[in-house]
Amino acid sequence: MGFLVERMNFLQNSIQYSLLSKSGFMCLLLDYHNIKALIYTLCRLCNIKPLPGSNRLLKHLSAHGVPMALASNSPRGNIESKISYHLGWKDYFSVIVGGDEVIAGKPSPEIFLKAAKRLITEPSSCLVIEDSIPGVTAGKAAGMEVVAVPSVPKQAHFYTSADEVINSLLDLQPEKWGLPPFQDWIEGTLPTEPWYIGGPVIKGFGRGSKVLGIPTANLSTEGHSNLLSEHPSGVYFGWAGLSTRAVYKMVMSIGWNPYFNNAEKTIEPWLLHEFNEDFYGEELRLIIVGYIRPEVNFPSLESLIAKIHEDREIAERALDLPLYSKHKDDPYLKSSLHMECNHS
């Protein structure tokens, strides 16, 4: 599924993007006369969550009066069913093109070309944002510029034909493509809806203090798979509460740490306080209130360490702002972890 944005005066490009995760809609061989199957399908549609940054981008472009089209290899009826469960989405798109309206789907460029034609815009004035390799191929074949947002972690090297590869829509810079820039970044940070995660502090890889000189208080990812799937890998910040101590400023990484090439996604918070001893096993509760940057690889250990300290400086300054400092008093940080389920 994707959307196009028509060029308007200073707006030079259009956008095509898969806004709903591939796993969000299942192609099921069902008997639709079977009411149980129908109810199950409707429940699946209701529970589809937009990819991170989708609502922000749609609202931003709509607020600037940018016409948008939605295109997908799925039948048009399925597309309309999907977006009907997301407030305002139907109003965002002036054109919808389904896979049943073209002869060939991606990697054929036909669906992109038809969407551009209905928007009355030239393909060369369109930017395709895609999460799939066939979609990238189709966009380039249509004569459009392409930004890739890989749907599978650690697969960016397969998207070399794209003009740019980004980690998530949070990292999209519309002005690079002639679209109006976001104005919601504050002192190097992007405010997010607060989200909550907690658990006992566990031992990590032993590299935080020993290799980096940065003691992280790692959390297990067990039981948090759904929450982590909703948030792209990257560097975030917020507040941390230790059950037997206090509330501290915190900056954290979520992801695979490209420099060390983790096999699994990790949660590595750095509590911005000097501790005299370890606190493995203590209950740690986090409120994440903002985003700093995506995960990136570094040419050297020294450059990685320098960037982590820069992240710390950004987080420390930002958390003094009223927008973020108000969350320090959230009861979740000082309560027992049974409340976590009420916030996640």
Side-chain angles (χ1 to χ4, degrees), residues 223-263:
H224 298 306
S225 57
N226 289 338
L227 183 64
L228 292 179
S229 68
E230 296 175 17
H231 300 282
S233 60
V235 177
Y236 297 82
F237 67 99
W239 296 98
L242 280 171
S243 57
T244 61
R245 302 173 191 256
V247 174
Y248 308 96
K249 292 179 177 179
M250 174 274 300
V251 64
M252 68 185 290
S253 69
I254 293 180
W256 291 267
N257 201 325
Y259 183 83
F260 293 104
N261 195 26
N262 292 354

Short mmCIF file of all heavy atoms in Angstrom, two decimals, residues 223-263:
data_model
loop_
_atom_site.label_atom_id
_atom_site.label_comp_id
_atom_site.label_asym_id
_atom_site.label_seq_id
_atom_site.Cartn_x
_atom_site.Cartn_y
_atom_site.Cartn_z
N GLY A 223 8.68 -10.62 26.37
CA GLY A 223 7.39 -10.07 26.75
C GLY A 223 7.12 -8.69 26.17
O GLY A 223 6.04 -8.13 26.37
N HIS A 224 8.09 -8.14 25.44
CA HIS A 224 7.92 -6.78 24.89
C HIS A 224 7.93 -6.77 23.36
O HIS A 224 8.11 -5.72 22.76
CB HIS A 224 9.02 -5.86 25.41
CG HIS A 224 9.03 -5.68 26.90
ND1 HIS A 224 7.92 -5.27 27.60
CD2 HIS A 224 10.02 -5.87 27.81
CE1 HIS A 224 8.24 -5.20 28.90
NE2 HIS A 224 9.50 -5.56 29.04
N SER A 225 7.76 -7.93 22.74
CA SER A 225 7.88 -8.00 21.28
C SER A 225 6.87 -7.11 20.56
O SER A 225 7.21 -6.44 19.58
CB SER A 225 7.74 -9.45 20.81
OG SER A 225 6.50 -9.99 21.23
N ASN A 226 5.63 -7.08 21.03
CA ASN A 226 4.62 -6.25 20.38
C ASN A 226 4.96 -4.78 20.50
O ASN A 226 4.84 -4.01 19.54
CB ASN A 226 3.25 -6.53 20.97
CG ASN A 226 2.69 -7.88 20.58
OD1 ASN A 226 3.11 -8.45 19.57
ND2 ASN A 226 1.76 -8.40 21.37
N LEU A 227 5.38 -4.37 21.70
CA LEU A 227 5.72 -2.97 21.92
C LEU A 227 6.90 -2.56 21.05
O LEU A 227 6.89 -1.49 20.41
CB LEU A 227 6.03 -2.74 23.39
CG LEU A 227 6.34 -1.29 23.81
CD1 LEU A 227 5.13 -0.40 23.58
CD2 LEU A 227 6.78 -1.23 25.27
N LEU A 228 7.92 -3.40 21.00
CA LEU A 228 9.11 -3.07 20.23
C LEU A 228 8.84 -3.04 18.74
O LEU A 228 9.48 -2.29 17.99
CB LEU A 228 10.23 -4.07 20.55
CG LEU A 228 10.79 -4.00 21.97
CD1 LEU A 228 11.87 -5.05 22.16
CD2 LEU A 228 11.36 -2.61 22.26
N SER A 229 7.89 -3.85 18.28
CA SER A 229 7.56 -3.85 16.86
C SER A 229 6.88 -2.56 16.44
O SER A 229 6.87 -2.21 15.26
CB SER A 229 6.67 -5.05 16.52
OG SER A 229 5.39 -4.92 17.11
N GLU A 230 6.30 -1.84 17.40
CA GLU A 230 5.61 -0.59 17.10
C GLU A 230 6.57 0.59 17.03
O GLU A 230 6.19 1.68 16.58
CB GLU A 230 4.55 -0.31 18.17
CG GLU A 230 3.44 -1.33 18.21
CD GLU A 230 2.49 -1.07 19.36
OE1 GLU A 230 2.51 0.05 19.90
OE2 GLU A 230 1.73 -1.98 19.74
N HIS A 231 7.80 0.38 17.49
CA HIS A 231 8.76 1.49 17.53
C HIS A 231 10.02 1.10 16.77
O HIS A 231 10.63 0.07 17.05
CB HIS A 231 9.10 1.84 18.97
CG HIS A 231 7.90 2.25 19.78
ND1 HIS A 231 7.33 3.50 19.70
CD2 HIS A 231 7.13 1.55 20.65
CE1 HIS A 231 6.28 3.56 20.50
NE2 HIS A 231 6.13 2.39 21.08
N PRO A 232 10.43 1.91 15.80
CA PRO A 232 11.62 1.56 15.01
C PRO A 232 12.88 1.61 15.86
O PRO A 232 12.93 2.27 16.90
CB PRO A 232 11.63 2.64 13.92
CG PRO A 232 10.89 3.79 14.51
CD PRO A 232 9.83 3.19 15.39
N SER A 233 13.90 0.90 15.41
CA SER A 233 15.17 0.97 16.10
C SER A 233 15.70 2.39 16.02
O SER A 233 15.41 3.14 15.10
CB SER A 233 16.16 -0.01 15.46
OG SER A 233 16.36 0.31 14.10
N GLY A 234 16.48 2.76 17.03
CA GLY A 234 17.01 4.11 17.06
C GLY A 234 17.38 4.52 18.47
O GLY A 234 17.41 3.71 19.40
N VAL A 235 17.67 5.81 18.63
CA VAL A 235 18.05 6.37 19.92
C VAL A 235 16.90 7.22 20.44
O VAL A 235 16.44 8.15 19.75
CB VAL A 235 19.34 7.20 19.81
CG1 VAL A 235 19.69 7.84 21.16
CG2 VAL A 235 20.49 6.32 19.33
N TYR A 236 16.45 6.91 21.65
CA TYR A 236 15.34 7.60 22.29
C TYR A 236 15.81 8.16 23.64
O TYR A 236 16.94 7.89 24.08
CB TYR A 236 14.18 6.63 22.54
CG TYR A 236 13.57 6.04 21.29
CD1 TYR A 236 14.15 4.95 20.65
CD2 TYR A 236 12.40 6.56 20.75
CE1 TYR A 236 13.58 4.40 19.51
CE2 TYR A 236 11.82 6.01 19.62
CZ TYR A 236 12.41 4.94 19.00
OH TYR A 236 11.84 4.39 17.87
N PHE A 237 14.94 8.90 24.30
CA PHE A 237 15.29 9.42 25.62
C PHE A 237 14.03 9.58 26.45
O PHE A 237 12.90 9.54 25.94
CB PHE A 237 16.02 10.76 25.50
CG PHE A 237 15.15 11.88 24.97
CD1 PHE A 237 14.57 12.80 25.83
CD2 PHE A 237 14.91 12.01 23.61
CE1 PHE A 237 13.76 13.82 25.36
CE2 PHE A 237 14.11 13.03 23.12
CZ PHE A 237 13.54 13.94 24.00
N GLY A 238 14.23 9.75 27.75
CA GLY A 238 13.09 9.90 28.65
C GLY A 238 13.54 9.83 30.09
O GLY A 238 14.63 10.27 30.44
N TRP A 239 12.69 9.21 30.91
CA TRP A 239 12.93 9.13 32.35
C TRP A 239 12.98 7.68 32.80
O TRP A 239 12.28 6.83 32.25
CB TRP A 239 11.84 9.89 33.11
CG TRP A 239 11.84 11.36 32.81
CD1 TRP A 239 11.04 12.02 31.92
CD2 TRP A 239 12.70 12.34 33.39
NE1 TRP A 239 11.35 13.36 31.91
CE2 TRP A 239 12.37 13.60 32.80
CE3 TRP A 239 13.73 12.31 34.35
CZ2 TRP A 239 13.01 14.78 33.14
CZ3 TRP A 239 14.37 13.49 34.67
CH2 TRP A 239 14.01 14.71 34.09
N ALA A 240 13.83 7.41 33.78
CA ALA A 240 14.00 6.06 34.31
C ALA A 240 13.80 6.07 35.81
O ALA A 240 14.36 6.92 36.52
CB ALA A 240 15.39 5.54 33.97
N GLY A 241 13.01 5.13 36.31
CA GLY A 241 12.79 4.99 37.75
C GLY A 241 13.32 3.65 38.24
O GLY A 241 12.97 2.61 37.68
N LEU A 242 14.19 3.69 39.24
CA LEU A 242 14.67 2.46 39.88
C LEU A 242 13.88 2.25 41.16
O LEU A 242 13.72 3.17 41.96
CB LEU A 242 16.16 2.55 40.19
CG LEU A 242 17.11 2.28 39.03
CD1 LEU A 242 18.54 2.63 39.41
CD2 LEU A 242 17.02 0.82 38.58
N SER A 243 13.42 1.04 41.38
CA SER A 243 12.47 0.75 42.46
C SER A 243 12.99 1.14 43.84
O SER A 243 12.21 1.54 44.70
CB SER A 243 12.11 -0.74 42.45
OG SER A 243 13.27 -1.54 42.55
N THR A 244 14.29 1.02 44.08
CA THR A 244 14.82 1.31 45.42
C THR A 244 15.62 2.60 45.46
O THR A 244 16.28 2.88 46.47
CB THR A 244 15.73 0.15 45.87
OG1 THR A 244 16.83 0.03 44.96
CG2 THR A 244 14.95 -1.16 45.91
N ARG A 245 15.57 3.39 44.39
CA ARG A 245 16.42 4.58 44.34
C ARG A 245 15.62 5.83 44.00
O ARG A 245 14.92 6.37 44.83
CB ARG A 245 17.58 4.36 43.37
CG ARG A 245 18.44 3.13 43.75
CD ARG A 245 19.48 2.82 42.69
NE ARG A 245 20.10 1.53 42.94
CZ ARG A 245 21.32 1.36 43.44
NH1 ARG A 245 22.07 2.42 43.74
NH2 ARG A 245 21.82 0.14 43.62
N ALA A 246 15.73 6.29 42.76
CA ALA A 246 15.11 7.56 42.40
C ALA A 246 14.75 7.56 40.92
O ALA A 246 14.78 6.52 40.26
CB ALA A 246 16.08 8.71 42.74
N VAL A 247 14.42 8.74 40.41
CA VAL A 247 14.11 8.92 39.00
C VAL A 247 15.26 9.68 38.35
O VAL A 247 15.74 10.68 38.89
CB VAL A 247 12.78 9.69 38.81
CG1 VAL A 247 12.53 10.00 37.34
CG2 VAL A 247 11.62 8.89 39.39
N TYR A 248 15.70 9.20 37.18
CA TYR A 248 16.87 9.76 36.52
C TYR A 248 16.57 10.06 35.05
O TYR A 248 15.72 9.43 34.43
CB TYR A 248 18.04 8.76 36.59
CG TYR A 248 18.34 8.26 37.97
CD1 TYR A 248 17.82 7.04 38.41
CD2 TYR A 248 19.14 8.99 38.85
CE1 TYR A 248 18.09 6.56 39.68
CE2 TYR A 248 19.42 8.52 40.13
CZ TYR A 248 18.89 7.31 40.54
OH TYR A 248 19.15 6.84 41.81
N LYS A 249 17.33 10.99 34.51
CA LYS A 249 17.31 11.20 33.07
C LYS A 249 17.89 9.96 32.39
O LYS A 249 18.75 9.27 32.94
CB LYS A 249 18.11 12.43 32.69
CG LYS A 249 17.52 13.75 33.17
CD LYS A 249 18.40 14.92 32.76
CE LYS A 249 17.79 16.25 33.18
NZ LYS A 249 18.65 17.41 32.81
N MET A 250 17.43 9.72 31.17
CA MET A 250 17.83 8.49 30.50
C MET A 250 17.88 8.69 28.99
O MET A 250 17.04 9.38 28.41
CB MET A 250 16.82 7.40 30.86
CG MET A 250 16.99 6.07 30.14
SD MET A 250 16.16 6.01 28.51
CE MET A 250 14.45 6.29 28.95
N VAL A 251 18.88 8.11 28.35
CA VAL A 251 18.94 8.01 26.89
C VAL A 251 19.13 6.53 26.57
O VAL A 251 19.80 5.81 27.33
CB VAL A 251 20.07 8.89 26.30
CG1 VAL A 251 21.44 8.42 26.76
CG2 VAL A 251 19.99 8.93 24.78
N MET A 252 18.53 6.05 25.50
CA MET A 252 18.56 4.61 25.26
C MET A 252 18.61 4.29 23.77
O MET A 252 18.17 5.09 22.92
CB MET A 252 17.32 3.95 25.87
CG MET A 252 16.02 4.33 25.18
SD MET A 252 14.55 3.65 25.99
CE MET A 252 14.73 1.93 25.61
N SER A 253 19.17 3.14 23.47
CA SER A 253 19.14 2.63 22.11
C SER A 253 18.27 1.39 22.07
O SER A 253 18.26 0.59 23.00
CB SER A 253 20.55 2.28 21.61
OG SER A 253 21.06 1.17 22.29
N ILE A 254 17.52 1.28 21.00
CA ILE A 254 16.73 0.08 20.73
C ILE A 254 17.12 -0.40 19.34
O ILE A 254 17.11 0.38 18.38
CB ILE A 254 15.22 0.37 20.77
CG1 ILE A 254 14.79 0.73 22.19
CG2 ILE A 254 14.43 -0.83 20.28
CD1 ILE A 254 13.31 1.04 22.31
N GLY A 255 17.51 -1.66 19.25
CA GLY A 255 17.84 -2.17 17.93
C GLY A 255 18.95 -3.19 17.95
O GLY A 255 19.14 -3.90 18.93
N TRP A 256 19.71 -3.22 16.86
CA TRP A 256 20.70 -4.27 16.65
C TRP A 256 22.13 -3.76 16.78
O TRP A 256 23.07 -4.52 16.62
CB TRP A 256 20.52 -4.91 15.27
CG TRP A 256 19.25 -5.70 15.20
CD1 TRP A 256 19.10 -7.04 15.43
CD2 TRP A 256 17.94 -5.21 14.88
NE1 TRP A 256 17.78 -7.40 15.28
CE2 TRP A 256 17.05 -6.31 14.93
CE3 TRP A 256 17.43 -3.96 14.54
CZ2 TRP A 256 15.69 -6.18 14.68
CZ3 TRP A 256 16.08 -3.83 14.30
CH2 TRP A 256 15.22 -4.93 14.36
N ASN A 257 22.29 -2.47 17.07
CA ASN A 257 23.63 -1.88 17.23
C ASN A 257 24.54 -2.29 16.07
O ASN A 257 25.36 -3.21 16.21
CB ASN A 257 24.24 -2.29 18.57
CG ASN A 257 25.35 -1.32 18.99
OD1 ASN A 257 26.08 -0.81 18.14
ND2 ASN A 257 25.45 -1.08 20.28
N PRO A 258 24.42 -1.63 14.93
CA PRO A 258 25.15 -2.07 13.73
C PRO A 258 26.65 -2.22 13.92
O PRO A 258 27.25 -3.10 13.29
CB PRO A 258 24.83 -0.94 12.73
CG PRO A 258 23.54 -0.37 13.19
CD PRO A 258 23.57 -0.46 14.69
N TYR A 259 27.25 -1.40 14.79
CA TYR A 259 28.71 -1.51 14.97
C TYR A 259 29.08 -2.88 15.52
O TYR A 259 30.08 -3.49 15.12
CB TYR A 259 29.22 -0.41 15.89
CG TYR A 259 30.73 -0.42 16.05
CD1 TYR A 259 31.55 0.19 15.09
CD2 TYR A 259 31.34 -1.05 17.13
CE1 TYR A 259 32.93 0.17 15.22
CE2 TYR A 259 32.71 -1.08 17.27
CZ TYR A 259 33.51 -0.46 16.31
OH TYR A 259 34.88 -0.50 16.44
N PHE A 260 28.27 -3.39 16.48
CA PHE A 260 28.54 -4.70 17.08
C PHE A 260 27.75 -5.82 16.41
O PHE A 260 27.93 -6.99 16.73
CB PHE A 260 28.20 -4.66 18.58
CG PHE A 260 29.11 -3.76 19.37
CD1 PHE A 260 28.67 -2.51 19.79
CD2 PHE A 260 30.39 -4.16 19.69
CE1 PHE A 260 29.50 -1.68 20.53
CE2 PHE A 260 31.23 -3.33 20.43
CZ PHE A 260 30.79 -2.09 20.85
N ASN A 261 26.84 -5.44 15.50
CA ASN A 261 26.07 -6.41 14.73
C ASN A 261 25.35 -7.43 15.62
O ASN A 261 25.53 -8.65 15.48
CB ASN A 261 26.96 -7.14 13.72
CG ASN A 261 26.16 -7.88 12.66
OD1 ASN A 261 25.02 -7.51 12.36
ND2 ASN A 261 26.74 -8.92 12.10
N ASN A 262 24.51 -6.92 16.52
CA ASN A 262 23.74 -7.81 17.40
C ASN A 262 22.89 -8.77 16.58
O ASN A 262 22.34 -8.39 15.54
CB ASN A 262 22.81 -7.00 18.30
CG ASN A 262 23.56 -6.16 19.31
OD1 ASN A 262 24.78 -6.26 19.43
ND2 ASN A 262 22.83 -5.33 20.04
N ALA A 263 22.75 -9.98 17.08
CA ALA A 263 21.89 -10.96 16.42
C ALA A 263 20.42 -10.71 16.75
O ALA A 263 19.53 -11.07 15.98
CB ALA A 263 22.28 -12.37 16.83
#
